[in-house]
Amino acid sequence: MNGISGYSAVQENYASSTYKSSNQAKTGSSKKTSGTQGRRELSDKAQALLEKLKKTHSNMDFMVADKGDDTKELLSRGTKEFSVIFSAEELEKMAADEKFEKKNMDKVFDAVRMTEQINKQYGFGPASEKGEILKVGISFNDDGTTSYFAELEKMSESQRERLEKAIEQKKDLKDLSIRSKRTQVSASSMKELVEKMNKVDWSKIQEQDLRNYKPGFDFSI
């Protein structure tokens, strides 16, 4: 499984990407957001920025949250190693101000860098008593705050062996039912997030049957 690309590579990829506004768009025109229910409309500049980010960082999910959306639920929808969730207000500010865009993206890069170090420093992984990291996300909220999320999983050795055997035999995991424990933690900083991840009490989390199983990503690469 491929992990998140190296921190320096992510930065270089972003720095080399140029923002191209739509010459055909009229000032003030808008489009519906992609990634959530699409209730909120974005300006053409914000939509173009969103598309640029998706294209530049194809190993990340970029989503736009409406007020009232559950960011943890949005994170669970992600199909990539790392998810970035913007409020429509924050994305509009980024599209209008390159310095503000850079400030927020620097936070994303810092979170990616720290995520790459988590397994090495804190011992998370498939066979770890602490559990395995499935996904990590960062959310830029409409009140200007930033939230960080992680989804963790822990399964028994016998279930892990079943999964590894199915992957080795290239079986369709949609037909595989796996029992495991999953939980999400959230925090206002990556440091706090790691602290909460280390304190997860797996004995208080119930196992659940998971169909159409999706393995986690190797964040140690």
Side-chain angles (χ1 to χ4, degrees):
M1 290 177 246
N2 294 324
I4 293 179
S5 301
Y7 172 60
S8 59
V10 172
Q11 279 194 312
E12 289 173 4
N13 199 17
Y14 178 75
S16 64
S17 176
T18 56
Y19 175 75
K20 297 180 180 179
S21 60
S22 173
N23 293 326
Q24 298 176 346
K26 295 181 180 179
T27 302
S29 61
S30 58
K31 297 179 181 179
K32 289 187 177 181
T33 61
S34 57
T36 65
Q37 293 91 342
R39 296 188 301 270
R40 173 64 186 260
E41 292 187 338
L42 293 176
S43 68
D44 287 311
K45 287 187 68 175
Q47 185 68 40
L49 173 59
L50 181 63
E51 294 306 316
K52 182 196 78 169
L53 293 174
K54 289 179 178 180
K55 183 177 181 179
T56 305
H57 309 293
S58 58
N59 60 339
M60 298 184 190
D61 277 317
F62 288 91
M63 294 175 273
V64 180
D66 279 314
K67 288 184 178 180
D69 280 345
D70 185 343
T71 49
K72 287 187 177 182
E73 196 276 330
L74 287 178
L75 174 63
S76 68
R77 296 186 198 175
T79 60
K80 309 289 180 64
E81 304 100 315
F82 201 93
S83 294
V84 183
I85 303 172
F86 298 111
S87 68
E89 289 83 355
E90 285 291 290
L91 191 62
E92 292 288 355
K93 291 178 183 178
M94 290 171 63
D97 186 342
E98 290 185 358
K99 290 184 178 179
F100 188 71
E101 176 192 345
K102 183 179 184 303
K103 178 182 177 181
N104 278 353
M105 289 308 299
D106 282 345
K107 287 184 180 181
V108 173
F109 299 145
D110 286 342
V112 170
R113 176 179 54 81
M114 290 189 67
T115 300
E116 292 176 333
Q117 297 173 352
I118 288 176
N119 276 3
K120 297 177 182 178
Q121 293 185 0
Y122 301 102
F124 290 93
S128 172
E129 288 299 315
K130 294 183 177 182
E132 178 182 13
I133 303 169
L134 296 183
K135 300 172 186 175
V136 176
I138 181 172
S139 173
F140 296 93
N141 309 313
D142 53 16
D143 61 359
T145 60
T146 306
S147 303
Y148 299 83
F149 303 87
E151 185 174 337
L152 306 174
E153 178 180 64
K154 184 176 175 61
M155 68 174 61
S156 66
E157 184 177 350
S158 61
Q159 292 293 304
R160 177 66 57 187
E161 289 175 353
R162 286 185 61 232
L163 175 61
E164 291 176 350
K165 185 176 181 180
I167 294 175
E168 183 180 343
Q169 295 177 348
K170 299 182 179 180
K171 291 185 177 180
D172 190 346
L173 299 186
K174 292 181 180 180
D175 301 326
L176 186 67
S177 178
I178 290 290
R179 289 188 61 81
S180 74
K181 297 180 177 182
R182 287 190 176 184
T183 189
Q184 285 188 358
V185 294
S186 60
S188 59
S189 70
M190 280 296 290
K191 181 179 179 181
E192 182 187 9
L193 186 70
V194 174
E195 291 175 354
K196 288 187 175 182
M197 290 165 63
N198 278 312
K199 293 179 180 178
V200 169
D201 187 350
W202 289 104
S203 66
K204 296 181 179 179
I205 300 173
Q206 293 185 341
E207 274 191 335
Q208 54 183 310
D209 288 314
L210 300 172
R211 295 188 179 276
N212 191 16
Y213 185 83
K214 296 180 181 180
F217 300 94
D218 188 354
F219 287 97
S220 64
I221 295 178

